[in-house]
Amino acid sequence: MSIKVTKFGGSSLASAEQFKKVADIVLSDRDRKYVVPSAPGKRFKEDNKVTDLLYKCYDEFSKGQDSSAFEEIKERYNLIIEGLGLDLSLEKEFELLKLSFIGRAGRDYAASRGEYLNGIILAKHLGFEFIDAADVIFFKNDGTFDSEKTNDIMSERLRGCENAVIPGFYGKMPNDTIKTFSRGGSDITGAIVARAAHADEYENWTDVSGFMIADPRIVDNPKYISVITYKELRELSYMGASVLHADSIFPVKAAGIPIHIKNTNAPDDPGTMIVTHTDPAADKTVITGIAGKKDFSVLTLEKDMMNEEKGFGRRLLQVLERHDLSFEHLPSGIDTMSVVINDHELSGKEDDIIADLIESCSPDTIGVEKNIALIAVVGRGMKNAKGTAAALFNSLAAADINIKMIDQGSSELNIIVGVDNKDFEKAIITTYSYFEANKLI
Ligand code: ASP
């Protein structure tokens, strides 16, 4: 028998109807032993997330004011309990919550109650044990997550427990106060539980059927990615594609546990599997995803015989460090070196940096190209497939898009091109259609 840890996001647990879907999913597979819930999310576009209501409620009560958010929170949970027909009352919990908010128990404590209360309801509905995350997830004095203590104590706790619900998003500080992860942090709890349970799979249930090959706001109906490696995911997330909390990757990646993104509203859809690696003999994928971001600047320094000058690169990077600038890429030629920097990092510092670069590196020329968008084509299959770069460049040329920069990561996992901001959407649409027509995706 294998073990699956299932995490359900806020929209999957926003109402009694959604809870019923979740219960069907969990109870249809006995491997789904441990469940990590988020707080109730939005039921419709203008709805409030319970976590946001809790922050509001805390701010109101802790200032000694009345709180309308408090009534809304109680109603959200009571509707779920009634809709499920449960013999459960959270009245005592609500009173305690109110008193501790008035007593200023802390904003993290306040926010954590969303998951805590949802966990109690879900455990009751599933007939699973409830484990308070404060008893199994620990932070250090400096506020960072204590992964080893958590793993030891949580593993031990789960060993004696057939099925459990462990609320997401929070844990305990050494002084017994509650601390939360950053927003969206129930994903992290799910990954921590998966590691501690030695799970075979970490299922992350949400309201989309996985990652898409390209951004659906730009490309009409892009296909879903069926399998992606952790490294590819890192590349695509860096470029702005987001479904999972970035910190949720580490605990499971290190333990070699795959993450399976699934849709609570379409449970039969295959979803996206995130794995450490694939079998190259069986894997025919060339391109996994296309993503990009706008608003970069490229600083280019040119100097005759740069390739023979020792220390040029070091001096250039020292200038960036002195001005507290991080850079994204560093494409270089024989006599040129460029630095790609995010516009918001550069703004306000540009003149000082150029003066410093002239002083420290004595380039023959220095230029700044602004309004650059970066587009990354990511794919583990590129390494072994000829013609991927050609397909990318052909598609852009055919669409009359000028490529201003090219950077291929040395792992051959990606090719990044820089185009004018105004060509960004067109470049992604064109590339996607060209790859699709040529069966590369
Ligand atoms: N409820 C928290 C939030 O809204 C954590 C989560 O849902 O993952 O950010």
Side-chain angles (χ1 to χ4, degrees), residues 7 9-10 38-39 49 51-52 111 114-115 168-169 182-187:
K7 180 261 169 179
S38 278
K49 285 176 129 196
T51 309
D52 294 325
E115 274 65 13
F169 195 35
S182 57
R183 293 300 303 264
S186 296
D187 282 344

Side-chain angles (χ1 to χ4, degrees), residues 121-429:
I121 301 176
L122 187 60
K124 175 90 180 171
H125 186 51
L126 293 171
F128 283 14
E129 190 176 331
F130 174 78
I131 299 179
D132 187 351
D135 296 334
V136 283
I137 293 195
F138 303 96
F139 291 90
K140 297 180 192 165
N141 270 326
D142 63 3
T144 56
F145 170 56
D146 192 339
S147 61
E148 295 321 300
K149 178 176 176 192
T150 299
N151 198 48
D152 289 349
I153 294 181
M154 173 123 49
S155 302
E156 190 54 38
R157 182 72 175 80
L158 296 181
R159 206 167 292 142
C161 172
E162 183 61 21
N163 294 107
V165 171
I166 305 121
F169 195 35
Y170 69 93
K172 194 164 68 181
M173 290 289 288
N175 66 2
D176 282 350
T177 57
I178 295 290
K179 177 169 169 55
T180 60
F181 294 107
S182 57
R183 293 300 303 264
S186 296
D187 282 344
I188 308 175
T189 309
I192 294 166
V193 176
R195 177 185 172 208
H198 302 286
D200 299 274
E201 197 172 308
Y202 168 27
E203 287 183 340
N204 191 296
W205 291 81
T206 170
D207 51 9
V208 291
S209 293
F211 296 118
M212 288 177 158
I213 292 178
D215 187 338
R217 288 166 301 186
I218 301 175
V219 173
D220 271 346
N221 275 323
K223 291 184 189 169
Y224 282 98
I225 300 173
S226 54
V227 178
I228 184 169
T229 64
Y230 281 109
K231 281 189 185 149
E232 290 173 314
L233 182 64
R234 161 84 181 114
E235 301 272 345
L236 289 174
S237 317
Y238 156 76
M239 277 295 183
S242 70
V243 174
L244 266 184
H245 192 297
D247 292 344
S248 65
I249 307 291
F250 301 110
V252 273
K253 183 181 168 201
I257 300 169
I259 306 179
H260 198 171
I261 309 287
K262 295 276 286 173
N263 188 348
T264 304
N265 305 319
D268 295 331
D269 283 0
T272 298
M273 199 74 170
I274 311 167
V275 297
T276 319
H277 46 73
T278 58
D279 171 7
D283 188 0
K284 299 281 169 277
T285 312
V286 180
I287 304 297
T288 309
I290 305 165
K293 281 199 284 200
K294 284 182 174 175
D295 298 329
F296 291 91
S297 291
V298 184
L299 279 172
T300 300
L301 284 78
E302 202 171 336
K303 189 174 189 184
D304 267 349
M305 310 302 284
M306 183 193 286
N307 67 323
E308 292 189 0
E309 182 177 328
K310 297 196 177 66
F312 186 92
R314 176 178 48 79
R315 287 195 297 279
L316 187 156
L317 294 179
Q318 275 171 340
V319 172
L320 300 186
E321 199 174 344
R322 264 202 295 281
H323 294 266
D324 195 26
L325 262 187
S326 58
F327 69 94
E328 313 288 321
H329 301 277
L330 200 67
S332 61
I334 305 172
D335 289 339
T336 59
M337 196 168 265
S338 301
V339 210
V340 182
I341 302 174
N342 213 309
D343 272 350
H344 77 255
E345 287 249 344
L346 191 62
S347 87
K349 298 180 176 173
E350 198 179 314
D351 293 344
D352 291 347
I353 287 167
I354 291 183
D356 201 352
L357 283 171
I358 292 172
E359 160 111 24
S360 308
C361 304
S362 319
D364 297 338
T365 64
I366 183 162
V368 187
E369 174 117 40
K370 299 197 148 183
N371 301 320
I372 300 288
L374 297 182
I375 296 172
V377 172
V378 175
R380 58 189 177 274
M382 278 195 299
K383 214 174 184 156
N384 304 313
K386 296 180 189 74
T388 321
L392 170 64
F393 301 149
N394 281 337
S395 68
L396 295 175
D400 204 22
I401 294 170
N402 187 16
I403 302 177
K404 304 203 161 219
M405 186 205 89
I406 301 169
D407 195 4
Q408 177 169 34
S410 35
S411 57
E412 272 192 73
L413 197 62
N414 66 19
I415 303 175
I416 293 174
V417 292
V419 300
D420 207 291
N421 267 346
K422 71 171 174 22
D423 290 330
F424 176 69
E425 284 84 6
K426 187 174 161 198
I428 293 197
I429 295 169

